[in-house]
Amino acid sequence: MPGSHALRTPPPTMGAEGRGALPVQQLTELIEASRQGYALFDADDRLHYANPAFRASLGLAPGEFPSWEGLMRKGYHASTGTVVETDDFDVWLRSARSRRGKLPYRTIETNLKDGRWVLTTETTLPGGWMLCVLTDVSELGTGLRDLRQERDRALKSALSDELTGLGNRRYAMDILKQKLGPSKAQQMVVAILDIDHFKAVNDRFGHPGGDLVLKDFAAQLALAAGRDDLAGRIGGEEFLLVLQGMDMAQAEDLLRRLLVSVSGRAPLPGAPDFRYSCSAGAALAGPGETAGEVLRRADQALYQAKQGGRNRVVVSPEPAGPPASAAGPARAAAG
């Protein structure tokens, strides 16, 4: 339970070799004594457990159980935990969050502000629970550290949209294909969202004003996406949102609330009366559908939303039979 420093005791189970009940007490004591950091985050990305080594590395007091975002914010402003090199912390946070928990397993190498270099592994279950294990790998040396960090920066740049911090088209499509693969365990809704009349925004306020609108929309989209979901920028003013484990009624409600939130935003300091809106097309991924097929249906629904007056959500009908062969977008360019 949140607020508990001890691991919850599971029901006794037989060991792998049938030697009796799993020694949970000993396992807990070993994790508590380990020099590796262990932490457990729930589906909302809130810390449920952290051993002393993890807390010492990230600058957490024994009674603190923040969200992952809160943990990163605290470290950035208090000069503890992970080294974050950025001129815009919110964009960095969206970029990091866009990749967090999207794969069953991944590794990350980072510097800590106490001078150590650590390898962090993230193991994520369907539904969002995550185990983080932090290992000090400083002994590998500064030369190798610099080389691997340069590699990681290049990889991040190749997968992230520099302006908004969300995953770029390449990253978003790769993750969507994995989510729709043979191992697909949950139903999901795929939505394409497009900022209305964006060309007019650029014409009126110039590209700096357009960039502020794009960043503002990306921030709202990131807030709407859970850790198990996917948010990415796949075109100039076009974005992708994949909602994991939702039925269409739940997804449509979330999208409508997102549109209401966006329409009340005032993202331009020099034009406080300016407002903008967006349109969305959504499709529930059918059994056996490929990424191209479900995106085509979402794209057609977005076209209908644009033709119907914009600032609205249109839902694609579910496929009546076997998925049709993939086709190109049916939508003509619409601002």
Side-chain angles (χ1 to χ4, degrees):
M1 58 182 291
S4 172
H5 186 63
L7 286 169
R8 180 179 298 174
T9 302
T13 58
M14 296 296 290
E17 299 176 5
R19 290 196 294 252
L22 181 70
V24 174
Q25 180 180 344
Q26 289 79 4
L27 176 62
T28 301
E29 291 176 356
L30 284 167
I31 291 175
E32 285 283 299
S34 176
R35 292 185 180 182
Q36 286 184 297
Y38 288 86
L40 182 65
F41 291 84
D42 66 16
D44 294 323
D45 221 358
R46 180 164 292 278
L47 184 67
H48 267 241
Y49 167 80
N51 73 342
F54 186 92
R55 290 182 175 278
S57 297
L58 276 295
L60 279 175
E64 288 186 274
F65 293 88
S67 65
W68 174 80
E69 179 177 331
L71 179 60
M72 292 297 102
R73 285 191 183 277
K74 175 187 175 181
Y76 181 71
H77 293 295
S79 297
T80 59
T82 304
V83 173
V84 176
E85 298 177 349
T86 181
D87 295 327
D88 190 328
F89 177 75
D90 288 327
V91 170
W92 177 90
L93 189 68
R94 282 199 295 275
S95 177
R97 188 170 179 260
S98 72
R99 297 184 299 279
R100 182 171 165 82
K102 303 302 183 289
L103 298 173
Y105 179 83
R106 72 167 184 152
T107 63
I108 313 152
E109 295 175 15
T110 55
N111 284 323
L112 296 183
K113 291 181 180 177
D114 62 11
R116 289 183 294 155
W117 183 29
V118 297
L119 171 70
T120 301
T121 63
E122 296 177 351
T123 304
T124 307
L125 295 175
W129 281 81
M130 176 188 288
L131 174 67
C132 295
V133 181
L134 186 152
T135 305
D136 187 345
V137 291
S138 303
E139 70 278 1
L140 293 180
T142 56
L144 181 58
R145 178 191 312 193
D146 292 343
L147 182 64
R148 292 169 74 126
Q149 286 180 327
E150 188 62 34
R151 175 208 62 190
D152 289 346
R153 279 192 289 266
L155 180 61
K156 176 185 174 183
S157 178
L159 300 178
S160 297
D161 176 59
E162 183 178 2
L163 176 67
T164 65
L166 298 180
N168 62 17
R169 182 180 182 88
R170 173 186 170 186
Y171 175 78
M173 294 305 171
D174 285 348
I175 295 297
L176 177 60
K177 289 174 183 177
Q178 293 181 46
K179 286 180 175 289
L180 287 172
S183 61
K184 173 176 175 284
Q186 293 178 301
Q187 65 181 0
M188 66 186 71
V189 173
V190 176
I192 301 177
L193 303 98
D194 190 278
I195 298 175
D196 296 328
H197 301 297
F198 186 72
K199 182 178 182 301
V201 175
N202 274 334
D203 290 344
R204 181 180 173 187
F205 300 106
H207 288 290
D211 286 352
L212 288 176
V213 172
L214 288 169
K215 291 174 71 173
D216 184 79
F217 182 74
Q220 297 305 300
L221 192 64
L223 287 173
R227 196 182 66 199
D228 215 23
D229 302 328
L230 168 67
R233 183 185 178 196
I234 57 174
E237 67 269 26
E238 195 167 70
F239 295 78
L240 177 70
L241 181 62
V242 180
L243 299 168
Q244 191 92 2
M246 283 194 181
D247 60 30
M248 184 54 79
Q250 294 170 316
E252 189 174 1
D253 178 66
L254 182 147
L255 290 168
R256 292 188 189 283
R257 286 187 280 113
L258 174 62
L259 265 60
V260 170
S261 174
V262 165
S263 65
R265 303 288 297 173
L268 304 181
D273 294 331
F274 169 76
R275 299 291 186 273
Y276 72 102
S277 64
C278 73
S279 302
L284 181 67
E289 270 196 300
T290 66
E293 289 159 350
V294 70
L295 283 169
R296 177 177 177 273
R297 292 197 295 113
D299 194 70
Q300 290 174 329
L302 174 61
Y303 177 68
Q304 294 174 23
K306 292 284 189 179
Q307 293 297 301
R310 298 179 174 84
N311 194 23
R312 64 192 62 210
V313 179
V314 171
V315 172
S316 170
E318 295 184 39
S325 59
R331 172 170 47 83

